[in-house]
């Protein structure tokens, strides 16, 4: 959810479409007007089109943008979709894939926050540790490309209005990432990450990733 139209009310975002809130003066059964935005689906996705979405003014121009990651499929990517005003005109930017593997997994965790403490918004995403590959018999992608070690990644923002993002891999291998939550867990002013695993070798657990940027 986020104010894509700039009218002070929260709109709803799904892959490829956002629904405009009719506003506080609308009747309870007022229609939520659908608008398109330039989503890029993954061809032959493992479980069909799915995404994790955040709404935030990523480049500081006063317009709420869409940040999304493909998920529930191998070969996922992370995108920043720039709102040029009112949710009517958009530019999609793919963030660079993290280094260290020729292919990507399912970015099933996503978060937008100032992870580096420099006053600008960065992007976090993590790959899921799911080895499902039965769908490849139907011509779909494997959930996890062979040989991939799951990664936790922060894309550090720089460049002001000419926004660029530098991927930094801070974790590699199990545990993977599934619906992680972000926040200042230990109250030291840095944004931390709390994560749970999806599938493992029998031990399910929650992990607290402490951000030591300010230490």
């Amino acid at each position: 959810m986020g104010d894509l139209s700039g009218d002070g009310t929260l709109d709803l975002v799904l892959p490829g479409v956002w629904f405009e809130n009719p506003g506080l003066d609308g009747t309870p059964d007022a229609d939520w007007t659908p608008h398109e935005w330039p989503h890029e689906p993954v061809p032959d996705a493992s479980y069909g089109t799915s995404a994790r979405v955040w709404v935030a003014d990523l480049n500081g121009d006063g317009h709420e943008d869409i940040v999304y990651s493909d998920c529930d499929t191998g070969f996922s990517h992370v995108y920043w979709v720039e709102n040029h005003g009112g949710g009517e005109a958009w530019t999609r930017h793919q963030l660079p894939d993290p280094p260290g593997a020729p292919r990507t997994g399912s970015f099933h965790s996503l978060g937008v926050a100032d992870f580096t403490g420099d006053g600008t918004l960065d992007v976090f995403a993590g790959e899921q540790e799911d080895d499902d590959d039965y769908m490849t018999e139907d011509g779909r992608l494997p959930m996890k490309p062979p040989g991939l070690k799951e990664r936790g990644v922060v894309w550090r923002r720089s460049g002001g209005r000419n926004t660029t993002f530098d991927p930094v891999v801070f974790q590699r291998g199990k545990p993977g990432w599934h619906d992680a939550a972000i926040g200042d867990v230990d109250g030291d002013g840095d944004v931390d990450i709390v994560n749970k695993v999806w599938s493992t070798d029998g031990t399910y657990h929650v992990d607290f990733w402490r951000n030591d940027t300010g230490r």
Side-chain angles (χ1 to χ4, degrees), residues 61-142:
D61 66 352
H63 305 303
E64 297 282 279
D65 308 307
I66 295 173
V67 180
Y68 80 94
S69 64
D70 305 310
C71 66
D72 293 315
T73 183
F75 300 1
S76 293
H77 303 288
V78 180
Y79 297 87
W80 161 48
V81 189
E82 184 178 2
N83 183 357
H84 296 292
E88 299 177 355
W90 303 85
T91 301
R92 186 182 65 247
H93 310 270
Q94 181 178 328
L95 275 59
D97 289 336
R103 295 182 175 90
T104 54
S106 165
F107 285 114
H108 209 291
S109 288
L110 180 71
V112 177
D114 180 11
F115 291 100
T116 60
D118 65 356
T120 62
L121 292 176
D122 309 297
V123 178
F124 151 75
E127 292 168 309
Q128 182 176 345
E129 76 291 358
D130 194 327
D131 296 321
D132 282 353
D133 61 3
Y134 66 87
M135 70 285 297
T136 58
E137 299 175 1
D138 299 326
R140 288 175 284 167
L141 297 174

Side-chain angles (χ1 to χ4, degrees), residues 112-184:
V112 177
D114 180 11
F115 291 100
T116 60
D118 65 356
T120 62
L121 292 176
D122 309 297
V123 178
F124 151 75
E127 292 168 309
Q128 182 176 345
E129 76 291 358
D130 194 327
D131 296 321
D132 282 353
D133 61 3
Y134 66 87
M135 70 285 297
T136 58
E137 299 175 1
D138 299 326
R140 288 175 284 167
L141 297 174
M143 274 286 287
K144 179 179 173 181
L148 176 71
K149 292 185 180 296
E150 305 86 348
R151 292 160 292 183
V153 187
V154 168
W155 283 263
R156 299 182 299 188
R157 180 200 158 188
S158 60
R161 292 292 178 90
N162 297 319
T163 304
T164 59
F165 291 92
D166 175 31
V168 177
V169 177
F170 66 89
Q171 179 265 350
R172 194 185 306 273
K174 292 189 176 183
W177 301 84
H178 192 263
D179 289 343
I182 63 174
D184 184 6

Side-chain angles (χ1 to χ4, degrees), residues 186-206:
D186 55 356
D188 66 352
D190 298 324
V191 180
D192 309 301
I193 304 172
V194 177
N195 180 52
K196 64 179 176 67
V197 297
W198 170 252
S199 62
T200 184
D201 55 3
T203 303
Y204 289 87
H205 56 275
V206 174

